Amino acid sequence: MRPRTPLTIAIAIIATVVAIHAQITSNPLPAAVEKKGLAVEIRDLTRLPDTRSMLAAGQDVNPAGWARVQFVRDLPDGRRFVNDSRGFLYLLDKDNKPAVYANVAKEFPFAIYNRLESGFIGFDFHPEFAKNGLLYTVHGERAMGNPAKLNFIPPGYTENDVTYHNVITEWHAKNPAANTFEGTRRELLRVAHVVMNLTHPFGFVGFNPTAKPGSPDYGLLYTSGSDTGFSNGGGPNANNPSQTQRLDSVITAILRIDPRSPSVSKGTKGLGDYTIPPGNKFAADNDPKTLGEIYAYGFRNAHRLSWDLTDGTMYASDIGMNQIEEVNIVRNGENYGWMKREGYWENGMIRPGGALDQLFTLPAEILDGRKKDEFTYPVAIYDHDEGQAVSGGFAYHGRIAALRDKFIFGDVQRGRVFASDLAELKKADDGVPQTVAPVQEIQLYVRDASGNRTDVSLPEMITKVMGTKLPRADLHISQSRDGELFVTSRQDGWIRMLVP
């Protein structure tokens, strides 16, 4: 073999350094997400009442939207519930007609509604709701004039810096079988924002639906993982990577808690009035500097969590910054990278003089898995040529043959619906950052009274209903008790279903 000259070596070193430090400013994934023949019928189910007039000018988002549908939840007893983030929890009757189950807004006079994720954001019922009458909500409040005591303020800040509160509440229904709520409430946790806008609040509270009585996960409540606006929340405290890779903070963390008060459970108290599950990795690490309620961390805005009903795999949809949207498989104790990583790139913010809209290529030996770092990488991604904010998603095993054994998700802003094969997602969960599952777009269609098919997009359906083209579809996906999928819009207030 011919010996390498010093010049050859120098050129090779320079090439390696350039490759390692290559900055990507746009289009990190040149290949487009395409439609490849996967088509599914979408059908109107019901529309929530118009709540546009309930807020004064300037207190709502713009455009306001007919009703701001967030989650659809089914109870084992067959009842179906849905929330409007303007403050109502509805019960749908057997004909899917909505009636107010609880007026949540009435109980929270400091609630804020003028951000995309704001107001009464999320809810879920305890798996033993029929016996114990417990349900859980999360909402956002303004700090100004708010007398409530915070359980957590980000490290280095004081009450003078606080702008908003994230609040998780337990509600106790006197009669769980009643069709309107009557009962009491107890606050579990109140976490501070210190940025200008209520950006990336806690948006999810929920239980693992695959956990059975007696299993370690049964009755444990999960929250979304959020950087609480330390990326793009505005004001002097935003753009702060020092807040995002800490284990003494709830920032970027998915929390898993036992919602019982320590006075009831006799267990270890968390930051708020709840118990820390001993099975959480950071509860069992014997390190007093780590928060035991942390289940996983390193998320920018993992606003939706779900579990595969067949094998219990946990998924998180994490909204990216300027470049990459992620689907992640979540495990206890693992670090998902934000703000050091976005997709399988290094984020520029962690470099001297760097910025959040920059990506840098990882060293080849990390990218291809030969050398491990401390991060867990996504199993599916798309870039901002294709969308702006990944929606929640679900592993599908229902009646629609074309979707079976796929993970169905979408883009909140553009209203596109996507699919990735579950087998490919699990194959991508191999510790090799560059291994990701392919993503394809689902073609939606409707049928007229004669059965004739017309291809549509969700934005087209919203435009037809609202009579004007809107800048956002505000798509979200929910799952029925038997595994079928709802597609909702916070713009037109409709709940639709994907059907065989």
Side-chain angles (χ1 to χ4, degrees):
M1 179 179 174
R2 183 180 176 181
R4 303 179 74 183
T5 65
L7 179 59
T8 305
I9 294 171
I11 292 172
I13 291 172
I14 291 170
T16 301
V17 170
V18 170
I20 289 173
H21 295 280
Q23 180 183 336
I24 300 169
T25 55
S26 65
N27 201 19
L29 299 169
V33 174
E34 298 178 345
K35 296 174 182 174
K36 298 181 178 180
L38 191 59
V40 178
E41 183 179 353
I42 185 168
R43 187 178 298 168
D44 292 344
L45 185 69
T46 192
R47 195 183 196 190
L48 294 190
D50 183 359
T51 54
R52 289 174 294 182
S53 63
M54 69 170 284
L55 296 173
Q59 293 183 11
D60 208 342
V61 294
N62 186 23
W66 182 275
R68 298 193 60 75
V69 191
Q70 294 277 10
F71 288 89
V72 182
R73 301 279 199 186
D74 283 0
L75 283 183
D77 65 11
R79 288 184 294 174
R80 178 168 292 160
F81 294 82
V82 57
N83 68 314
D84 178 338
S85 64
R86 291 194 182 104
F88 295 104
L89 180 59
Y90 293 99
L91 170 65
L92 303 185
D93 68 14
K94 61 182 178 62
D95 297 316
N96 289 304
K97 293 180 180 178
V100 174
Y101 176 76
N103 184 346
V104 175
K106 183 177 67 174
E107 303 298 325
F108 298 125
F110 290 93
I112 177 173
Y113 300 95
N114 65 359
R115 299 291 294 175
L116 292 173
E117 288 183 280
S118 63
F120 167 35
I121 307 170
F123 73 99
D124 201 6
F125 292 84
H126 193 282
E128 295 185 3
F129 176 76
K131 296 179 181 178
N132 62 27
L134 299 178
L135 65 133
Y136 298 85
T137 63
V138 59
H139 74 279
E141 294 185 358
R142 66 181 184 273
M144 185 178 295
N146 197 326
K149 180 177 173 56
L150 287 154
N151 302 120
F152 178 82
I153 300 173
Y157 297 96
T158 70
E159 287 192 17
N160 292 331
D161 300 299
V162 176
T163 50
Y164 304 100
H165 299 181
N166 296 279
V167 188
I168 297 176
T169 304
E170 176 186 85
W171 304 73
H172 183 196
K174 184 184 298 184
N175 177 10
N179 288 335
T180 55
F181 177 84
E182 182 183 354
T184 58
R185 58 185 169 91
R186 173 176 70 95
E187 189 166 297
L188 270 63
L189 178 64
R190 188 173 284 259
V191 170
H193 280 244
V194 297
V195 297
M196 181 187 299
N197 301 313
L198 183 66
T199 303
H200 305 167
F202 286 17
F204 177 94
V205 285
F207 296 89
N208 176 357
T210 70
K212 305 301 180 186
S215 70
D217 214 24
Y218 187 71
L220 301 186
L221 186 69
Y222 288 80
T223 72
S224 52
S226 165
D227 71 2
T228 65
F230 275 117
S231 49
N232 63 331
N237 297 332
N239 304 334
N240 189 341
S242 68
Q243 290 287 337
T244 60
Q245 283 281 304
R246 308 178 66 127
L247 289 171
D248 62 347
S249 169
V250 301
I251 306 302
T252 79
I254 291 172
L255 307 182
R256 181 174 70 166
I257 65 174
D258 179 341
R260 294 178 299 168
S261 172
S263 63
V264 174
S265 70
K266 309 305 179 186
T268 302
K269 184 183 183 302
L271 292 169
D273 189 19
Y274 57 81
T275 303
I276 293 176
N280 287 2
K281 181 177 178 180
F282 299 112
D285 63 359
N286 297 315
D287 185 347
K289 296 180 181 179
T290 62
L291 293 180
E293 45 266 86
I294 294 175
Y295 184 76
Y297 69 110
F299 298 97
R300 181 174 179 267
N301 186 16
H303 65 137
R304 293 291 192 273
L305 310 177
S306 68
W307 288 260
D308 188 326
L309 297 178
T310 65
D311 65 11
T313 301
M314 181 180 172
Y315 293 93
S317 297
D318 193 17
I319 294 177
M321 185 67 200
N322 291 79
Q323 305 276 9
I324 301 296
E325 302 301 310
E326 301 182 4
V327 174
N328 294 273
I329 290 177
V330 183
R331 284 181 292 271
N332 192 357
E334 297 194 6
N335 179 358
Y336 291 78
W338 183 253
M339 183 178 294
K340 291 186 175 181
R341 298 287 185 269
E342 185 175 350
Y344 51 72
W345 289 268
E346 180 183 293
N347 188 276
M349 179 52 82
I350 67 170
R351 296 188 171 207
L356 280 165
D357 61 355
Q358 298 172 339
L359 297 182
F360 290 86
T361 305
L362 293 176
E365 66 269 22
I366 292 179
L367 195 59
D368 65 18
R370 284 174 289 147
K371 182 179 178 181
K372 303 296 183 184
D373 59 17
E374 71 260 44
F375 305 114
T376 301
Y377 289 87
V379 293
I381 60 176
Y382 64 93
D383 68 11
H384 283 197
D385 285 353
E386 308 298 332
Q388 297 294 120
V390 64
S391 75
F394 294 89
Y396 184 80
H397 305 283
R399 295 181 296 126
I400 305 172
L403 300 186
R404 207 167 291 145
D405 299 325
K406 291 178 171 57
F407 187 80
I408 310 302
F409 59 109
D411 189 78
V412 175
Q413 181 169 2
R414 298 191 191 177
R416 300 174 73 184
V417 182
F418 299 131
S420 289
D421 287 340
L422 291 171
E424 292 293 333
L425 292 176
K426 293 184 171 88
K427 183 179 177 181
D429 187 32
D430 59 359
V432 178
Q434 67 184 6
T435 308
V436 290
V439 177
Q440 63 176 306
E441 184 174 5
I442 299 171
Q443 175 63 62
L444 303 177
Y445 64 86
V446 294
R447 292 190 185 275
D448 63 21
S450 300
N452 300 310
R453 168 180 159 172
T454 303
D455 289 348
V456 295
S457 68
L458 185 65
E460 289 170 346
M461 298 179 80
I462 294 167
T463 297
K464 183 177 180 180
V465 170
M466 299 299 288
T468 185
K469 187 174 182 179
L470 297 170
R472 297 174 59 88
D474 271 331
L475 170 148
H476 285 294
I477 299 175
S478 296
Q479 189 176 49
S480 70
R481 183 169 173 260
D482 59 356
E484 300 305 326
L485 299 178
F486 305 100
V487 176
T488 63
S489 167
R490 292 185 299 195
Q491 293 295 345
D492 67 6
W494 270 98
I495 302 170
R496 300 174 171 95
M497 288 197 78
L498 302 183
V499 298

